[in-house]
Amino acid sequence: MIDFPYIRDICQTTDSKIVLLVVDGLGGLPHPSTKMSELETANLPNLDRLAQISACGLTTPVLPGVTPGSGPGHMALFGYDPVEYLIGRGVLEAIGIGVKLGRSDVAARGNFCTVDKNGLITDRRAGRIKSEESAKLVAELAKIKVHGVTGEFHPVKDHRFVLVLKGKGLSEEVGETDPQAEGVAPLDAIPLDDEADATAEAVNMWVSEARMVLKGRDKANMVLLRGFSQLPSLPDMGETYAMKPAAIAAYPMYRGLAQLCGMTVIPTGTSFDDELDTLEANWDKHDFFFLHYKPADAAGEDGNFEAKIAALEELDKRIPRLVNLGADTLVIAGDHSTPAVIGAHSWHPVPLMVHSMDTKGEGIDAFNERQCANGSIGRIPATSVMMLAMAHAGKLAKFGP
Amino acid sequence: MIDFPYIRDICQTTDSKIVLLVVDGLGGLPHPSTKMSELETANLPNLDRLAQISACGLTTPVLPGVTPGSGPGHMALFGYDPVEYLIGRGVLEAIGIGVKLGRSDVAARGNFCTVDKNGLITDRRAGRIKSEESAKLVAELAKIKVHGVTGEFHPVKDHRFVLVLKGKGLSEEVGETDPQAEGVAPLDAIPLDDEADATAEAVNMWVSEARMVLKGRDKANMVLLRGFSQLPSLPDMGETYAMKPAAIAAYPMYRGLAQLCGMTVIPTGTSFDDELDTLEANWDKHDFFFLHYKPADAAGEDGNFEAKIAALEELDKRIPRLVNLGADTLVIAGDHSTPAVIGAHSWHPVPLMVHSMDTKGEGIDAFNERQCANGSIGRIPATSVMMLAMAHAGKLAKFGP
């Protein structure tokens, strides 16, 4: 949680409602020819109007220069130190496909790879085999039995899968078998501390069985495992903030992250309109709602400036519906920037606006990177967003006498 | 290093090149009559043009209100927490005159002082005796032999010198002999912990011998020692950042600081033009270059507003040559402000610009304190400059899945 030891003392339950809309990959960078970013180029009358009566600023997801993955980007917005509460790759991949993990399970991210007759890796991604083929292989692997440890294989996309080990005394302190290079053999899983011996041994047995199952194939004849991890022990968000928080997200990974933080995950559909329907239907049941909007990030990752503009404009059309619900505090934030000119997550500060009855406007005309830089919130660590939201909603009592 | 435990995980070696130009004492304050700072008054067409296509901001060297010495100012820019990695006065003085220190050596800063017949200090600086006279006295003191501990005396300027003790089991935990007052006797060196007994005893023997050597003189007849310190153990910059960093600095202190951080110090001449020659000649050998420009600080320390303007204008003329080398990321920063109206280092935030292929300009017209305050970088701790530079140069991988 945010590094403020008195947080539980000052949080107070009230009737006021907070909506935190996370626009994935919100921030961008100027297009080389127009010198204007996606947000500056897009036609966003509703977001701009809201910015004109909000407090605006920029968030730093982790540290200047540090580009966050989806995990750290969201954890920070929920108020958790993204470094202290780093969620492992295996766990994130598992919750990203909706796999339920138990406390003691160890999840790893797997790749099918191709090895030659000497066992040396010739293709770490097995030619990016199709999901269908991959799913069949996963079904074969699922039949493997290793004494004492149950293993579940779940297909992800293309050559990727998730392995979940279930058993007693498992440890996440196991080294990766993926050497991250070709022309060498896969690594044995080695225990990284004394308590991981049995887990490493089980992993090696699973891998050895998998090699036998896949033997004789031209490609995708071996597996590589990385990111062994267990569910982290996170402070409960509702308990910490004295709220009843709920998450409404069309994508499983964000539902999974919210659940790790102790939010109630409300089932919803696959679109942002579905999320808004769900929000309306559950308006009375919670005092905090996290909503997630994915398309801006997806377009940014594709390096498609126009598509990112379109994704932002689609969001803009839905803003009146969101505003009309009358949240006491409406926060629009991003987990990180995904500039189309980079085509990937970036470290750049992310626009933020907070609307409440206390905000009357501060000379900001539009919701974008340059305008938000001049807002009254200034540049804050993303971990401070929850505190700001709660303050605007009257949910934080005075600190100290 | 910057407080980010995953730094080694995200730093990646690339072909891109970073140049960090540290303009010593860069920041200033408005002249009382014009209300314009040195940077605002100077004619800086090249720096201004660069600012127009860079990301700009302000750095806080240590904390708001805290004025750094040269050590903390530079350490922060190199990414080292300037509080955790504080370099002792004796060590800094020694490296400032190019003295090579061994791991176990203890360096102290010395003053010649004048004592009366009762041994009470009448002048802590011995009338600021000339460097020549001081050098002769230092040569006399160099003849002192104390059993088990070798001592080297090095003249600095005027009444100042450096004492370096060499021997086994020396400790820096020795109290100063300078009482920082007149009318009292010099203090005995006392051990500040159990392991410093032998060092304190050796220091007292050296001082006692020095008193004998200097006896009978009207002035400069005694010595005062302060700032006992040993080389700190610093994380290696090249190893941490996965780079091959080099330092090009005309002044020994900055070469010494860079060497402590593990940078390769490339020999150069005594002017900034020499530094640029050296940079050109070594362009292919490193991926990070630290350059140091001293004259702005010297003029500021002299309280000479016009001279500081002239120093900045001289720098400006050399900016095209620097830019033409085509660094992937060019950072222009200052270790601290040295406003001529104060005539000393100050705590004020320092202008910063970062130029890379990602920077297209952000409405900043000129490189100065007021304009940089509106830049997209905002106000950042100086310790974040390296991370920003590396991010712009594509040398930082994503943090977390």
Side-chain angles (χ1 to χ4, degrees):
Chain A
M1 266 341 183
I2 190 165
D3 189 15
F4 181 65
Y6 295 92
I7 185 164
R8 282 163 197 248
D9 299 322
I10 64 168
C11 289
Q12 54 192 11
T13 304
T14 67
D15 290 337
S16 61
K17 286 186 194 296
I18 298 173
V19 171
L20 168 64
L21 167 59
V22 177
V23 183
D24 208 305
L26 174 60
L29 281 175
H31 193 281
S33 58
T34 63
K35 310 261 168 95
M36 302 220 295
S37 74
E38 299 91 324
L39 279 167
E40 289 171 327
T41 313
N43 180 33
L44 307 171
N46 297 305
L47 285 165
D48 291 349
R49 201 149 41 222
L50 192 60
Q52 289 159 16
I53 51 167
S54 292
C56 295
L58 293 170
T59 56
T60 299
V62 181
L63 280 175
V66 175
T67 297
S70 299
H74 278 81
M75 293 306 287
L77 287 177
F78 300 153
Y80 294 75
D81 179 335
V83 174
E84 182 175 353
Y85 298 110
L86 181 62
I87 293 165
R89 185 179 298 273
V91 167
L92 203 69
E93 195 87 1
I95 65 178
I97 53 169
V99 171
K100 293 264 179 278
L101 293 175
R103 265 300 135 206
S104 57
D105 297 353
V106 171
R109 170 172 164 171
N111 282 4
F112 289 106
C113 71
T114 303
V115 294
D116 64 16
K117 63 182 192 305
N118 299 318
L120 306 183
I121 300 168
T122 57
D123 183 347
R124 282 183 58 239
R125 296 183 182 85
R128 291 187 187 275
I129 55 165
K130 295 275 171 248
S131 302
E132 279 170 32
E133 186 178 353
S134 186
K136 280 181 209 160
L137 297 179
V138 163
E140 288 298 311
L141 297 182
K143 295 174 189 165
I144 296 172
K145 301 265 177 259
V146 167
H147 181 69
V149 178
T150 311
E152 289 178 4
F153 285 84
H154 301 272
V156 185
K157 201 189 165 206
D158 300 341
H159 56 288
R160 286 154 47 202
F161 63 86
V162 168
L163 168 62
V164 180
L165 299 176
K166 292 170 180 289
K168 277 199 184 149
L170 293 176
S171 162
E172 65 184 357
E173 298 297 331
V174 173
E176 312 196 326
T177 74
D178 185 347
Q180 307 255 10
E182 295 176 350
V184 295
L187 304 171
D188 279 343
I190 54 166
L192 302 177
D193 70 18
D194 289 350
E195 277 145 45
D197 288 350
T199 311
E201 195 181 331
V203 168
N204 288 325
M205 287 165 72
W206 279 102
V207 170
S208 160
E209 293 289 326
R211 187 196 291 264
M212 298 299 289
V213 170
L214 301 170
K215 204 173 172 178
R217 296 176 48 85
D218 286 352
K219 60 180 184 181
N221 55 7
M222 182 54 176
V223 298
L224 299 173
L225 299 172
R226 53 198 288 222
F228 292 96
S229 44
Q230 291 177 295
L231 283 181
S233 189
L234 300 177
D236 184 84
M237 201 168 152
E239 205 178 291
T240 305
Y241 297 136
M243 287 198 299
K244 283 178 65 181
I248 304 174
Y251 280 67
M253 182 187 291
Y254 311 98
R255 292 198 294 268
L257 283 167
Q259 192 169 37
L260 290 184
C261 301
M263 288 191 234
T264 299
V265 174
I266 308 178
T268 189
T270 56
S271 72
F272 190 61
D273 287 325
D274 292 334
E275 292 188 17
L276 291 174
D277 289 343
T278 306
L279 177 62
E280 272 181 14
N282 290 274
W283 188 250
D284 293 336
K285 297 183 193 146
H286 294 272
D287 49 8
F288 175 91
F289 295 93
F290 151 56
L291 260 70
H292 185 260
Y293 183 75
K294 179 74 178 172
D297 178 60
E301 292 250 21
D302 289 341
N304 191 332
F305 202 89
E306 291 306 316
K308 185 158 175 201
I309 289 172
L312 294 168
E313 291 180 345
E314 283 303 311
L315 173 65
D316 189 77
K317 290 179 194 155
R318 282 136 182 108
I319 294 299
R321 191 175 166 198
L322 186 59
V323 169
N324 286 339
L325 283 168
D328 298 274
T329 300
L330 171 59
V331 181
I332 301 185
D335 54 342
H336 52 75
S337 295
T338 307
V341 295
I342 293 182
H345 291 195
S346 84
W347 52 269
H348 297 83
V350 189
L352 168 72
M353 65 171 142
V354 180
H355 177 67
S356 76
M357 60 176 290
D358 288 341
T359 60
K360 307 294 181 205
E362 45 192 47
I364 302 292
D365 294 326
F367 187 55
N368 60 48
E369 299 81 2
R370 256 178 273 229
Q371 292 266 330
C372 285
N374 296 315
S376 67
I377 295 174
R379 276 142 224 266
I380 57 169
T383 47
S384 287
V385 168
M386 277 300 298
M387 298 296 273
L388 262 190
M390 295 192 63
H392 273 272
K395 290 182 188 292
L396 291 185
K398 190 166 68 174
F399 163 62
Chain B
M1 261 346 177
I2 189 166
D3 187 14
F4 182 64
Y6 295 91
I7 186 163
R8 283 164 198 246
D9 298 321
I10 63 168
C11 289
Q12 54 191 10
T13 304
T14 68
D15 289 338
S16 61
K17 286 186 193 294
I18 299 173
V19 172
L20 167 64
L21 167 59
V22 177
V23 183
D24 208 305
L26 174 61
L29 282 176
H31 193 281
S33 58
T34 64
K35 308 266 165 88
M36 301 220 295
S37 75
E38 299 91 323
L39 280 167
E40 287 171 327
T41 312
N43 179 33
L44 307 172
N46 297 304
L47 285 164
D48 291 348
R49 200 149 40 221
L50 192 60
Q52 288 158 18
I53 51 168
S54 293
C56 296
L58 292 170
T59 56
T60 300
V62 181
L63 280 176
V66 175
T67 297
S70 299
H74 277 80
M75 294 305 289
L77 287 177
F78 299 153
Y80 294 74
D81 179 334
V83 174
E84 181 176 354
Y85 298 110
L86 182 62
I87 292 164
R89 183 181 298 272
V91 168
L92 202 69
E93 195 87 2
I95 67 179
I97 54 169
V99 171
K100 293 261 179 280
L101 294 176
R103 266 295 138 207
S104 55
D105 297 352
V106 171
R109 171 171 164 173
N111 282 4
F112 289 106
C113 70
T114 303
V115 294
D116 65 17
K117 64 182 192 307
N118 299 318
L120 306 183
I121 300 167
T122 58
D123 184 348
R124 282 183 57 242
R125 297 183 182 83
R128 291 188 185 274
I129 55 167
K130 294 274 171 245
S131 301
E132 280 171 30
E133 187 178 353
S134 184
K136 280 182 207 160
L137 297 181
V138 163
E140 288 298 312
L141 296 183
K143 296 173 187 164
I144 296 172
K145 302 262 179 260
V146 166
H147 181 68
V149 179
T150 312
E152 288 178 5
F153 285 85
H154 301 273
V156 186
K157 199 184 167 211
D158 300 340
H159 57 287
R160 286 154 47 201
F161 63 87
V162 167
L163 169 61
V164 179
L165 299 176
K166 291 171 182 287
K168 277 196 184 152
L170 293 176
S171 162
E172 65 184 358
E173 297 298 331
V174 172
E176 312 195 329
T177 75
D178 185 346
Q180 308 255 10
E182 295 176 351
V184 295
L187 305 171
D188 279 344
I190 55 166
L192 301 178
D193 69 18
D194 289 350
E195 277 145 45
D197 287 352
T199 311
E201 195 180 333
V203 168
N204 288 326
M205 287 165 73
W206 279 101
V207 170
S208 159
E209 292 289 326
R211 188 197 291 265
M212 298 298 289
V213 170
L214 301 171
K215 202 172 174 178
R217 295 176 49 84
D218 286 352
K219 60 180 183 181
N221 55 7
M222 181 53 174
V223 297
L224 299 174
L225 298 172
R226 53 200 288 223
F228 292 96
S229 45
Q230 290 177 297
L231 284 181
S233 189
L234 300 178
D236 183 85
M237 199 169 153
E239 207 178 286
T240 304
Y241 296 135
M243 288 199 299
K244 284 178 64 181
I248 304 175
Y251 280 67
M253 182 187 292
Y254 310 98
R255 292 198 293 268
L257 282 168
Q259 192 167 38
L260 290 184
C261 301
M263 287 191 236
T264 299
V265 174
I266 308 178
T268 190
T270 55
S271 71
F272 190 62
D273 287 324
D274 293 333
E275 292 187 18
L276 291 174
D277 289 343
T278 306
L279 177 62
E280 272 180 14
N282 290 275
W283 187 248
D284 293 335
K285 297 182 193 147
H286 294 270
D287 50 7
F288 174 91
F289 295 94
F290 151 55
L291 262 73
H292 185 260
Y293 184 75
K294 179 73 178 171
D297 178 60
E301 292 249 23
D302 290 343
N304 190 333
F305 202 90
E306 290 306 318
K308 185 159 175 201
I309 289 171
L312 293 169
E313 290 180 344
E314 283 303 310
L315 172 65
D316 189 77
K317 289 180 195 157
R318 281 131 184 113
I319 293 300
R321 191 175 167 200
L322 186 59
V323 169
N324 286 339
L325 284 167
D328 297 274
T329 300
L330 171 59
V331 180
I332 302 186
D335 54 341
H336 52 75
S337 295
T338 308
V341 296
I342 293 182
H345 291 196
S346 83
W347 52 270
H348 297 83
V350 189
L352 168 73
M353 65 172 142
V354 180
H355 177 67
S356 76
M357 61 176 289
D358 287 341
T359 61
K360 309 292 181 204
E362 43 193 49
I364 302 292
D365 296 324
F367 187 54
N368 60 49
E369 299 81 2
R370 255 178 275 228
Q371 292 264 331
C372 285
N374 296 316
S376 67
I377 297 174
R379 277 141 227 266
I380 57 169
T383 47
S384 285
V385 167
M386 278 300 299
M387 298 294 274
L388 261 191
M390 295 192 65
H392 273 271
K395 290 182 189 289
L396 291 186
K398 192 166 69 172
F399 162 61

